[in-house]
């Protein structure tokens, strides 16, 4: 088993009832599997981050500080992050 940590920001953290969540996944898991594990703990988040079976267009997904996809493999200790679009001025 691998343990990965999700870091959530802005309204995603509110929907998940917290900014940080550690989840356990199988050794051959993907980011999508880790998302499923997160949603099993924070089901209210699903309505915010999913569009059907896909990640919503307005959600950014990172693995260890780099953009990622749901089919990317995860390793023990990985840090996954989701956040809405960020703008500044």
């Amino acid at each position: 088993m691998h343990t990965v940590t999700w870091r959530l920001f802005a309204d995603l953290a509110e929907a998940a009832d917290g900014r940080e969540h550690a989840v356990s996944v199988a050794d051959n898991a993907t980011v999508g599997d880790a998302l499923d594990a997160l949603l099993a703990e924070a089901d209210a988040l699903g309505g915010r981050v999913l569009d059907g079976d896909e990640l919503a267009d307005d959600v950014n997904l990172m693995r260890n500080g780099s953009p990622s996809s749901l089919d990317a493999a995860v390793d023990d200790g990985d840090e996954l992050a989701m956040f809405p679009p960020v703008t500044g001025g």
Side-chain angles (χ1 to χ4, degrees), residues 48-71:
R48 172 59 183 91
V49 300
L50 295 177
D51 183 7
D53 291 334
E54 300 294 319
L55 198 62
D57 288 340
D58 67 340
V59 175
N60 295 300
L61 177 64
M62 306 285 278
R63 177 180 166 258
N64 298 327
S66 297
S68 185
S69 65
L70 290 175
D71 61 353

Side-chain angles (χ1 to χ4, degrees), residues 4-88:
V4 298
T5 301
W6 280 102
R7 300 206 190 282
L8 306 172
F9 300 90
D11 67 318
L12 304 184
E14 292 174 22
D17 239 359
R19 292 186 175 274
E20 188 173 309
H21 298 267
V23 298
S24 296
V25 294
D27 290 347
N28 61 346
T30 64
V31 173
D33 296 326
L35 178 59
D36 290 343
L38 174 64
L39 296 179
E41 294 180 7
D43 61 338
L45 183 62
R48 172 59 183 91
V49 300
L50 295 177
D51 183 7
D53 291 334
E54 300 294 319
L55 198 62
D57 288 340
D58 67 340
V59 175
N60 295 300
L61 177 64
M62 306 285 278
R63 177 180 166 258
N64 298 327
S66 297
S68 185
S69 65
L70 290 175
D71 61 353
V74 294
D75 293 316
D76 192 41
D78 277 356
E79 181 179 283
L80 306 173
M82 284 191 296
F83 52 93
V86 178
T87 60

